[in-house]
Amino acid sequence: MARGQAAAGRQKANGSQSQGDGVGASKEELLGFYRDMLLIRRFEERAGQLYGMGLIGGFCHLYIGQEAIAVGVQAVKQPGDEVITGYRDHGHMLACGMDPREVMAELTGRAGGSSRGKGGSMHMFSTEADFYGGHGIVGAQVSLGTGLALSNKYRDNGKVSWTYFGDGAANQGQVYESFNMAELWKLPVIYIIENNQYAMGTSIERSSSETHLHRRGASFRIPGEEVDGMDVLAVRAAAAKAAEHARSGQGPYILEMKTYRYRGHSMSDPAKYRTREEVDEVRKTRDPIDHVEELLESLGYADEAALKAIDAEVKRIVADAAEFARTSPEPDPSELYTDVYTEARA
């Protein structure tokens, strides 16, 4: 890739201005961002392979191309802040620190999974990692994330709810009911719209009368901001600003992350609604991992050998996770009757 292509592509794409092209990060931070995004990508690539082999059933929505969002926000998140999202959730789980073995085993429906094999790709959960799902109903998590923020407000604990949804879910009615309640009660929630341009398969220009989704809170007086979601430093900077707003008692904030998924909506989607040339152009000029790789090399923080070593380490982690997922036993039939209702404490 020619030097500067990725940065120039981010500047012009969708009219979005990158906020993170200055350095603004230490060597350790940049290396951490690089490794975390690479882990998500290699994990998702292997998940796609396992799906093709028939080892993952049901639906499987990959996060490839959107890695900078989950990683950039995680850099700002504080312990106890809740994260909740829709069904494109594997990247969020890994960014939250969940064990890749447990995540992959959950994809294959095994007992070693984070939800003991009962959640699958779309419904994983880990309160230990402050991750509240994985939700299969489009937009349902927005109301739940608002409820988490209400709990934080009620307890006055200083925590923030990071509530993710996509451009497709942005047209759901419960989103606006949640916006109204959140601003009315000044709830500490940050709504993150991962606008990957195509929802399930319809371009945003064809599905939304207002395509600048950060403006969707205007009628509720919720401030919003458009962010280059392909730039992890831009994401981190915007997330920090939004977190300060929410934690200070000023109420909700909307971040529209302009991003792009490289694969179809799910593994069963051939993505015929866009051209291969369009996808290749984004990969060449705006890839979030390539951007950090260029920064590391240009600043003298890492050379090609060091970056290859990180990739090799990540591949070993993912290979181990895949083997664990393949060999972990099936859930015991008794699991059918657990976690159906909350059992009363003695």
Side-chain angles (χ1 to χ4, degrees), residues 5-334:
Q5 266 192 315
R10 279 186 299 277
Q11 291 282 345
K12 68 182 181 181
N14 304 306
S16 179
Q17 195 75 9
S18 174
Q19 305 161 28
D21 286 336
V23 179
S26 68
K27 173 182 177 180
E28 291 72 22
E29 287 173 328
L30 284 176
L31 285 169
F33 294 153
Y34 180 76
R35 182 191 179 280
D36 291 346
M37 289 193 293
L38 198 59
L39 174 62
I40 293 172
R41 181 160 301 183
R42 297 292 181 247
F43 183 96
E44 293 289 65
E45 290 169 349
R46 181 58 66 92
Q49 293 173 359
L50 295 182
Y51 187 93
M53 295 166 61
L55 295 176
I56 296 175
F59 291 100
C60 185
H61 306 82
L62 302 182
Y63 202 60
I64 296 174
Q66 300 182 208
E67 299 91 348
I69 301 173
V71 171
V73 170
Q74 186 67 24
V76 173
K77 176 190 172 295
Q78 294 184 3
D81 287 354
E82 303 96 347
V83 174
I84 189 168
T85 189
Y87 41 75
R88 196 177 308 280
D89 52 3
H90 315 155
H92 294 281
M93 299 171 199
L94 296 172
C96 284
M98 291 175 65
D99 186 342
R101 279 183 153 207
E102 293 185 359
V103 178
M104 194 72 85
E106 189 63 36
L107 294 182
T108 58
R110 303 305 176 99
S114 59
S115 296
R116 298 196 294 279
K118 298 188 292 183
S121 172
M122 299 194 292
H123 299 101
M124 283 186 245
F125 198 92
S126 174
T127 54
E128 296 80 9
D130 301 325
F131 184 74
Y132 286 76
H135 295 271
I137 303 300
V138 176
Q141 74 277 11
V142 180
S143 298
L144 297 174
T146 305
L148 291 169
L150 175 60
S151 174
N152 293 335
K153 175 84 171 183
Y154 186 80
R155 297 174 183 179
D156 193 24
N157 59 15
K159 305 305 179 186
V160 165
S161 168
W162 300 89
T163 300
Y164 291 83
F165 58 103
D167 50 299
N171 292 321
Q172 293 288 316
Q174 67 265 34
V175 171
Y176 301 97
E177 295 174 359
S178 298
F179 282 180
N180 185 59
M181 181 180 293
E183 177 59 25
L184 189 64
W185 293 346
K186 297 295 182 184
L187 301 183
V189 55
I190 299 167
Y191 297 111
I192 302 174
I193 306 174
E194 296 189 276
N195 182 2
N196 62 27
Q197 317 299 314
Y198 286 100
M200 286 186 67
T202 304
S203 69
I204 189 168
E205 290 80 10
R206 293 180 59 208
S207 62
S208 296
S209 57
E210 170 57 89
T211 59
H212 296 284
L213 301 182
H214 62 284
R215 299 175 180 170
R216 291 293 183 92
S219 61
F220 304 98
R221 300 181 180 176
I222 301 176
E225 180 178 348
E226 182 180 288
V227 185
D228 183 354
M230 306 295 273
D231 182 343
V232 69
L233 298 181
V235 171
R236 183 182 66 166
K241 176 182 176 182
E244 181 179 1
H245 177 93
R247 292 191 205 281
S248 65
Q250 298 181 71
Y253 202 95
I254 296 173
L255 295 175
E256 179 190 358
M257 302 291 182
K258 299 296 282 291
T259 187
Y260 196 88
R261 55 173 165 77
Y262 296 164
R263 302 291 184 90
H265 170 69
S266 70
M267 287 297 296
S268 59
D269 173 21
K272 293 183 178 179
Y273 40 81
R274 60 185 182 183
T275 66
R276 170 49 54 186
E277 291 74 20
E278 177 183 309
V279 179
D280 289 344
E281 178 66 14
V282 175
R283 279 185 176 272
K284 184 172 71 173
T285 63
R286 300 185 64 214
D287 186 82
I289 298 176
D290 285 351
H291 173 46
V292 175
E293 182 176 326
E294 289 179 355
L295 281 176
L296 287 166
E297 291 182 333
S298 65
L299 294 168
Y301 290 165
D303 57 16
E304 184 178 355
L307 296 175
K308 284 185 176 180
I310 293 173
D311 194 15
E313 175 207 358
V314 165
K315 286 178 177 177
R316 284 193 297 271
I317 293 171
V318 171
D320 173 72
E323 181 61 17
F324 177 78
R326 190 185 66 81
T327 58
S328 184
E330 299 279 347
D332 188 274
S334 64

